[in-house]
C-alpha cells in the first residue's frame, strides 16, 4: 500500500491548557477545526510545540485521539511519537497506529547523545514496530544530535521510513538527502523562516509553528509555490517574516500560545519549566500580529 506523501502547510499544533495547567479540549477542538477550514494541509499533534515533554502518556494519547476524531479524515494527522527512550518511542508509535494516525513523527533522542549507530538502531526499532509511515525529526538545536545524511540514507532503506522533518535550517541538507536516498523521500521543513527556501531546495512543505496563528497565510505560501507563482509565495513569506521571527523570541511554544490568546484561539498557559512571556516579548508578539495584519 503506498504511503501518504505529505505536502503543503502542516500545523505543529499547540496543546491549549487551562490556567491550572489541565488540558483545554474545548479550545483544542475549535483550533483543530479552524485549522482545517483555513486551508491547513495536515496536522501534527503533540510534537515539541504541543509540549510533549510535559504531557503524561495518558494526556499524549488523548491529544492524538482527539485530533484524529475532530479531523475526521479531512486532513492527515501526524502523531508525535518521540522520546529519548526507544521503548517509550515504540509505545507511542504503536498507540499512534492504533488511534488511526497517518504517520508517526519521531524526534532524534535528546540528552543521552547517541552515536549515529545508536540513532540508526533507535529509528529502526520504531519503524519495525509499526506499519504506518515513520517521519524522522531532525532538530539538533534541541536534541544536540544531528541525524546525518549517511544515517538518513541508511534509514530510508526501511520501507516504513518515508521522510524527514528537517529543522537544521541548513538549506544544503535537502539537496544532499535527495542525492543520497534512492527512493521518493518526503522532506518537510521544520523552520518557518526557511519555508520558501526549503521548497526551492526541493522540499515538499513545512511543519509549521506560525500556522497555529496564521494558517491561511501559511497555506497560501505553499499553494502559491505549487502553482508556480514564485513571486507571490515570496511576497506572502515576506509578510509573515515578522511573525516567524517573533514566535521564537522565547522558547517555543510560549510566544505562539500568547499570540493565540491575543487572537482568542486559546489561553496562553504553558507548563513549567516554560515560563510566561516577559513584558518585552509580549510587546514584540503583539506588534508582530499587528504588522502581519492579524490584529488591529
Amino acid at each position: 500500500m503506498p504511503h501518504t506523501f505529505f505536502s503543503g502547510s502542516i500545523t505543529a499544533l499547540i496543546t491549549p491548557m487551562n490556567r491550572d495547567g489541565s488540558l483545554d479540549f474545548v479550545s483544542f477542538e475549535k483550533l483543530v477545526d479552524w485549522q482545517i477550514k483555513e486551508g491547513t494541509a495536515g496536522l501534527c499533534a503533540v510534537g515539541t510545540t504541543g509540549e510533549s515533554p510535559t504531557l503524561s502518556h495518558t494526556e499524549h494519547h488523548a491529544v492524538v485521539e482527539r485530533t484524529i476524531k475532530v479531523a475526521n479524515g479531512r486532513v492527515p494527522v501526524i502523531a508525535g511519537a518521540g522520546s529519548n527512550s526507544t521503548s517509550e518511542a515504540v509505545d507511542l508509535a504503536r498507540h499512534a497506529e492504533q488511534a488511526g494516525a497517518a504517520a508517526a513523527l519521531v524526534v532524534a533522542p535528546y540528552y543521552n547523545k547517541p552515536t549515529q549507530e545508536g540513532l540508526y538502531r533507535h529509528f529502526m526499532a520504531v519503524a519495525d514496530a509499526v506499519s504506518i509511515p515513520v517521519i524522522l525529526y531532525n532538530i539538533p538545536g534541541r536534541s544536540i544530535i544531528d541525524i546525518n545524511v549517511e544515517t538518513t540514507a541508511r534509514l530510508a532503506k526501511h520501507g516504513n521510513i518515508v521522510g524527514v522533518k528537517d529543522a537544521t535550517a541548513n538549506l544544503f541538507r535537502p539537496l544532499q538527502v535527495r542525492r543520497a536516498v534512492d527512493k521518493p523521500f518526503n522532506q518537510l521543513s521544520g523552520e518557518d523562516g526557511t519555508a520558501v527556501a526549503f521548497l526551492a531546495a526541493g522540499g515538499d512543505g513545512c511543519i509549521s509553528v506560525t500556522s497555529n496563528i496564521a494558517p491561511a497565510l501559511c497555506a497560501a505560501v505553499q499553494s502559491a509555490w505549487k502553482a508556480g507563482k514564485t513571486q507571490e509565495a515570496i511576497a506572502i513569506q515576506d509578510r509573515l517574516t515578522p511573525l516567524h521571527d517573533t514566535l521564537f523570541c522565547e522558547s517555543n511554544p510560549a510566544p505562539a500560545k500568547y499570540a493565540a490568546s491575543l487572537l482568542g484561539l486559546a489561553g496562553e498557559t504553558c507548563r513549567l519549566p516554560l515560563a510566561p512571556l516577559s513584558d518585552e516579548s509580549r510587546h514584540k508578539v503583539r506588534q508582530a500580529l499587528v504588522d502581519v495584519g492579524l490584529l488591529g
Side-chain angles (χ1 to χ4, degrees):
M1 186 172 69
H3 290 309
T4 301
F5 205 72
F6 302 96
S7 63
S9 179
I10 300 165
T11 302
L13 290 165
I14 59 172
T15 302
M17 296 173 182
N18 298 305
R19 289 185 179 180
D20 64 0
S22 61
L23 303 189
D24 178 4
F25 280 118
V26 173
S27 294
F28 184 71
E29 290 190 2
K30 290 179 181 177
L31 177 68
V32 169
D33 189 58
W34 178 67
Q35 286 285 324
I36 297 168
K37 289 176 178 176
E38 289 286 290
T40 292
L43 299 167
C44 185
V46 277
T48 309
T49 305
E51 294 177 80
S52 57
T54 58
L55 267 59
S56 69
H57 286 184
T58 299
E59 290 171 327
H60 188 117
H61 293 171
V63 173
V64 170
E65 291 164 6
R66 197 70 62 99
T67 308
I68 292 167
K69 179 182 178 181
V70 177
N72 195 28
R74 290 178 290 172
V75 298
V77 174
I78 301 169
S83 172
N84 61 348
S85 162
T86 302
S87 62
E88 187 175 68
V90 165
D91 286 346
L92 291 173
R94 283 175 172 159
H95 173 264
E97 180 174 23
Q98 292 163 6
L105 179 68
V106 184
V107 71
Y110 38 86
Y111 189 75
N112 40 16
K113 296 180 70 174
T115 61
Q116 292 298 311
E117 181 63 23
L119 285 175
Y120 174 77
R121 295 185 184 203
H122 172 83
F123 287 114
M124 289 293 285
V126 177
D128 283 342
V130 296
S131 60
I132 59 172
V134 170
I135 300 171
L136 312 175
Y137 183 11
N138 193 20
I139 182 165
R142 281 188 184 255
S143 66
I144 304 301
I145 297 300
D146 176 33
I147 311 169
N148 69 25
V149 175
E150 181 182 1
T151 301
T152 301
R154 284 182 73 196
L155 288 165
K157 295 182 185 301
H158 194 296
N160 285 354
I161 297 177
V162 302
V164 62
K165 177 184 176 182
D166 184 326
T168 64
N170 174 4
L171 293 172
F172 192 35
R173 181 60 63 88
L175 304 175
Q176 294 173 310
V177 168
R178 194 165 65 252
R179 182 178 175 86
V181 175
D182 59 1
K183 73 178 187 183
F185 197 65
N186 200 178
Q187 296 200 69
L188 301 164
S189 171
E191 295 279 353
D192 276 297
T194 62
V196 170
F198 196 85
L199 292 170
D204 303 300
C206 182
I207 298 182
S208 168
V209 174
T210 302
S211 59
N212 278 285
I213 308 306
L217 288 171
C218 291
V221 169
Q222 299 287 327
S223 59
W225 182 272
K226 188 175 182 179
K229 300 176 181 178
T230 306
Q231 292 305 313
E232 182 178 329
I234 292 170
I236 302 168
Q237 179 76 338
D238 285 348
R239 178 181 169 186
L240 282 167
T241 295
L243 199 52
H244 293 332
D245 286 343
T246 306
L247 290 183
F248 291 89
C249 65
E250 292 186 24
S251 295
N252 177 47
K257 280 194 156 182
Y258 179 62
S261 75
L262 292 177
L263 298 178
L265 300 171
E268 65 173 293
T269 300
C270 292
R271 285 184 179 170
L272 289 170
L274 294 182
L277 286 190
S278 67
D279 289 342
E280 180 183 2
S281 293
R282 286 169 185 267
H283 174 75
K284 288 179 180 178
V285 171
R286 181 182 289 274
Q287 188 58 51
L289 291 173
V290 171
D291 292 344
V292 174
L294 299 175
L295 195 64

